[in-house]
Amino acid sequence: QQWHLVFQQDWHSEFASRPHPTARLSVPLRLSAGEHQFYLNYYIHANGKLQPRIYSDSGLFAAETRQHLLNGVLAGMMLMLFCIVLLYQRIAGDISYLAYLGVCVGQLLMLPQIEGYYFQFIWPNAAAFNQWIPVPLSMLLVASHCAFAMTFFQLKQRYYRLWQLHWLIQALMLLNLLLPGEARFIGMSLLAICYGALALTTAIIA
């Protein structure tokens, strides 16, 4: 039985090295009739899991079209929410609305990164930067949500211990930037999980 390498790429590889110019990584296969075996060896941030699929040419086009449509709808909803919150902030003048604007901006900036649009259209030759940028974007989103919770629920005046924990999360995120490479991403993932539990607790108590 003869084996051959279909595709190989690492974190230094630029977007142009992809065999198929799509935001989500895809590899063209030309299969003859009969049984085929494929071995897929990969590693992504925080040892995450991929869900590989095999598509026909028309099936890939349909799947990408659906995904672009869904992403457009999500981005449109986030932008609409941003405009609504901005209007409320101008009317009410509440600082918590400014913090929530940060949450909206963080979500708007994170979506293209998750879907691979930045790497495809904005920095296709900066593979290392594309690996680095998810952590600062995640920090912006979490820090904005922290600021919103702290101001909206008036945690300093009403729940001082929760206020301290929110500041602790933000301090740990800054320290996390000092970690090298992959450890930085794993640390940010753990902090995001911890903040999710803290945000849920705050919402229930406050």
Side-chain angles (χ1 to χ4, degrees):
Q1 190 175 25
Q2 185 176 3
W3 296 92
H4 67 277
L5 181 65
V6 175
F7 175 71
Q8 185 175 10
Q9 194 175 45
D10 58 31
W11 69 279
H12 295 286
S13 302
E14 299 178 353
F15 186 83
S17 67
R18 295 187 176 189
H20 204 270
T22 54
R24 291 188 172 186
L25 181 61
S26 60
V27 180
L29 299 173
R30 294 294 178 259
L31 304 179
S32 59
E35 183 178 329
H36 299 270
Q37 287 185 341
F38 297 95
Y39 285 89
L40 180 63
N41 184 26
Y42 67 89
Y43 179 80
I44 60 176
H45 289 309
N47 199 25
K49 302 300 180 183
L50 295 178
Q51 296 177 332
R53 299 284 299 274
I54 295 180
Y55 290 103
S56 63
D57 290 340
S58 60
L60 177 61
F61 178 79
E64 289 183 338
T65 301
R66 288 192 299 269
Q67 192 63 39
H68 295 328
L69 177 61
L70 176 61
N71 291 335
V73 170
L74 290 175
M77 292 174 62
M78 293 175 190
L79 186 59
M80 181 177 66
L81 180 61
F82 176 87
C83 295
I84 293 173
V85 174
L86 180 61
L87 178 62
Y88 269 90
Q89 197 281 325
R90 295 296 298 271
I91 295 175
D94 192 335
I95 192 174
S96 63
Y97 287 112
L98 284 177
Y100 200 78
L101 286 175
V103 176
C104 296
V105 170
Q107 291 174 332
L108 280 168
L109 293 177
M110 182 65 78
L111 178 63
Q113 172 62 30
I114 293 173
E115 294 298 327
Y117 296 133
Y118 289 148
F119 192 38
Q120 182 179 13
F121 297 113
I122 299 181
W123 50 69
N125 301 321
F129 180 76
N130 193 61
Q131 296 289 324
W132 175 83
I133 194 63
V135 171
L137 290 179
S138 300
M139 288 178 59
L140 171 63
L141 184 57
V142 173
S144 298
H145 202 284
C146 272
F148 171 71
M150 293 166 72
T151 54
F152 184 77
F153 293 116
Q154 299 179 338
L155 295 184
K156 186 177 182 180
Q157 294 80 16
R158 299 173 62 219
Y159 301 98
Y160 190 72
R161 183 60 58 84
L162 290 177
W163 180 80
Q164 290 179 314
L165 290 175
H166 279 74
W167 272 116
L168 176 61
I169 290 290
Q170 296 184 74
L172 290 176
M173 286 195 299
L174 291 176
L175 291 175
N176 183 67
L177 287 175
L178 302 177
L179 295 178
E182 186 66 18
R184 188 186 307 116
F185 192 92
I186 295 174
M188 187 62 223
S189 300
L190 293 174
L191 286 172
I193 293 172
C194 291
Y195 178 69
L198 176 59
L200 179 61
T201 302
T202 301
I204 294 173
I205 294 177

